Amino acid sequence: MSESDRPVIFKNGLVLTMDDAHTVLNGDVLIIDGKIAEVGPGLTAPEGAIEIDATGGVVMPGMVDTHRHMWQTAMRGYGADWTLTQYFVWYYLESGKLFRPEDIYAGNLLGALEAIDSGVTTTVDWSHGLQTADHADAAVDALEAVPGRFVLAYGNIQQGPWEWSTSDAFQDFYRRRIDGGKLAGFQLAFDIPGDPAFQEKAAFEVARDLGVPVTTHAGVWGVTTDDGLRLMYENGFMTPGNVYVHAASLSSDSYHRIAATGGSVSVSTESEQSAGQGYPPTWQLRKHDVPVSLSMDTSVWWSGDLFSAMRTTLSADRVREHMEAHGKKETVTHHQLRAEQVVDWGTRGGAKALGMDSSIGALTPGRQGDVVLIKNESSPAMFPVLNPYGHVVFQAQRGDVDTVVVGGKVVKRDGELVDADLTTARAKVNATIDYLRETMGEDAWKRGMNPEIPEARILHNPYQYTK
Ligand SMILES: [Zn+2]
């Protein structure tokens, strides 16, 4: 029996099944032939099973990220101080076109390794740097080199979506690499700024013909507004399975349309909090009964850490509730949004958003064996575990991800990735950085990373304690 064919059993963990009833139990999770076979206390490990001691730890489904620009991982942290405007100038106008296929590969490889290391077993690669089919091949090559589940959301910011999606090269790529390929899914990724000419119609028709969803940055302040969604709606393209990313500054009418047409919103709270798309929208989405999933957006600015996504999303929702109440001279005495719900959004919510709810997102028999063990015996933050949802959201972090299993294959064990070639990933990313730096020139490189700080106004303070 080869290593990847062996059954896997997690023993004696606190199991968050994320099933319909959100069952929590002390017990075991057994994976046979890549799928969850049984969940419960005192299970018997079949002969040859890989046994993982989950005592003191939390066992949960692999997390799902529904929007990550993985090619940008090569530039990790570079844009920490950017606004959305500065991001657009850097990637869309000035430097995004410099990226070669090997640079897409480098970013995707690092991003994919980072995802599985962090307990994110399914990631949507919102890949909008695919200037040629060679770039797209490179993106898929990298995703296929890492044992996670990846959905390719195909995009190209250097052309109108009506151009690239209707090209022979795109159609040929789809037939060669996607149709019947190894990836977990495929989406078209483009934005709709709201031009009444609605040229995006051609790209929507391509998505419809292929039978794939569209993922779109919607409700981005000053960029994609209610007008874009209205055009989609009026032309019959707000359809089930579409994912609306951010949706942070939309009208009530647009939220109703998303909910009524079977769409969902991918909330990237770390992103919305600093780029300026609008307030992280869960406080609105809850009111409008819009399904929610979570995402990290891009590591060029923020973390690729779904624990942070859950934490910031819960906190942002609560601070909004408090501030809205204070505005009415009221006090919030009970929180609407619970830690349990954001854990659901980070697992099951993502599975539903991707149309994969029957196969991932929960630990129930028959679903894929995508399982994460959070356990760290050398961390004082990892005991006691009293409120498991609260612990996952506010106490745990990426370094506490002890074991990750994808489709029954152990990809991380005892806190270390299994068979991951970080040396190669590092060399490829370094080559990309050297190339970009040399091509841009040192001045442009430094200017891009260090945006000017506008002058701040300090208020006159009338209280003077010293003369
Ligand atoms: Zn994005």
Side-chain angles (χ1 to χ4, degrees), residues 159-214:
Q159 277 186 351
W162 54 91
E163 296 170 308
W164 58 257
S165 70
T166 55
S167 69
D168 291 343
F170 170 79
Q171 296 289 337
D172 175 61
F173 164 80
Y174 182 82
R175 278 190 299 271
R176 281 189 298 110
R177 301 302 299 268
I178 304 302
D179 206 11
K182 283 198 271 177
L183 293 180
F186 188 74
Q187 303 174 328
L188 291 200
F190 59 89
D191 298 339
I192 303 106
D195 179 345
F198 194 52
Q199 284 181 281
E200 296 86 356
K201 185 167 188 264
F204 280 109
E205 285 167 350
V206 171
R208 193 172 57 197
D209 290 347
L210 295 176
V212 300
V214 169

Side-chain angles (χ1 to χ4, degrees), residues 67-69 87 126 128 217 245-246 268 271 277 297-298:
H67 148 247
R68 195 182 300 191
H69 308 294
Y87 167 82
W126 220 102
H128 55 358
H217 293 107
V245 175
H246 302 307
S268 303
S271 171
Q277 296 94 339
D297 203 346
T298 171

Side-chain angles (χ1 to χ4, degrees), residues 19 250 296 367 390:
D19 65 5
L250 291 172
M296 294 315 307
R367 275 190 169 85

Side-chain angles (χ1 to χ4, degrees), residues 73-325:
T73 311
M75 297 293 292
R76 185 190 298 290
Y78 179 89
D81 293 322
W82 282 349
T83 59
L84 198 56
T85 305
Q86 286 155 344
Y87 167 82
F88 283 141
V89 169
W90 203 92
Y91 273 107
Y92 285 61
L93 300 180
E94 291 179 352
S95 304
K97 54 181 149 333
L98 299 177
F99 282 70
R100 307 160 299 175
E102 58 261 52
D103 305 316
I104 302 289
Y105 185 94
N108 269 27
L109 184 66
L110 184 60
L113 290 167
E114 180 183 14
I116 58 169
D117 182 61
S118 314
V120 180
T121 50
T122 301
T123 309
V124 173
D125 177 22
W126 220 102
S127 193
H128 55 358
L130 304 182
Q131 303 174 60
T132 68
D134 289 344
H135 289 74
D137 278 320
V140 176
D141 288 343
L143 300 178
E144 288 182 350
V146 176
R149 246 176 254 290
F150 300 100
V151 172
L152 181 69
Y154 192 113
N156 174 9
I157 53 178
Q158 304 300 335
Q159 277 186 351
W162 54 91
E163 296 170 308
W164 58 257
S165 70
T166 55
S167 69
D168 291 343
F170 170 79
Q171 296 289 337
D172 175 61
F173 164 80
Y174 182 82
R175 278 190 299 271
R176 281 189 298 110
R177 301 302 299 268
I178 304 302
D179 206 11
K182 283 198 271 177
L183 293 180
F186 188 74
Q187 303 174 328
L188 291 200
F190 59 89
D191 298 339
I192 303 106
D195 179 345
F198 194 52
Q199 284 181 281
E200 296 86 356
K201 185 167 188 264
F204 280 109
E205 285 167 350
V206 171
R208 193 172 57 197
D209 290 347
L210 295 176
V212 300
V214 169
T215 177
T216 185
H217 293 107
V220 174
W221 177 260
V223 182
T224 53
T225 63
D226 291 307
D227 286 338
L229 285 196
R230 184 181 44 75
L231 285 165
M232 277 178 75
Y233 185 77
E234 288 170 358
N235 286 277
F237 294 118
M238 283 187 80
T239 46
N242 285 355
V243 176
Y244 304 85
V245 175
H246 302 307
S249 44
L250 291 172
S251 66
S252 191
D253 203 46
S254 288
Y255 290 126
H256 280 311
R257 282 177 170 165
I258 293 171
T261 54
S264 68
V265 169
S266 174
V267 176
S268 303
T269 302
E270 274 194 39
S271 171
E272 287 125 28
Q273 285 179 325
S274 106
Q277 296 94 339
Y279 200 89
T282 56
W283 69 293
Q284 289 283 10
L285 302 174
R286 289 191 287 107
K287 281 186 231 169
H288 292 87
D289 207 15
V290 176
V292 176
S293 65
L294 302 182
S295 61
M296 294 315 307
D297 203 346
T298 171
S299 297
V300 71
W301 252 305
W302 308 289
S303 75
D305 180 351
L306 254 284
F307 293 100
S308 176
M310 294 188 281
R311 190 176 303 168
T312 52
T313 300
L314 185 56
S315 299
D317 191 292
R318 286 176 175 178
V319 79
R320 185 73 190 221
E321 293 272 301
H322 287 301
M323 298 315 290
E324 294 286 317

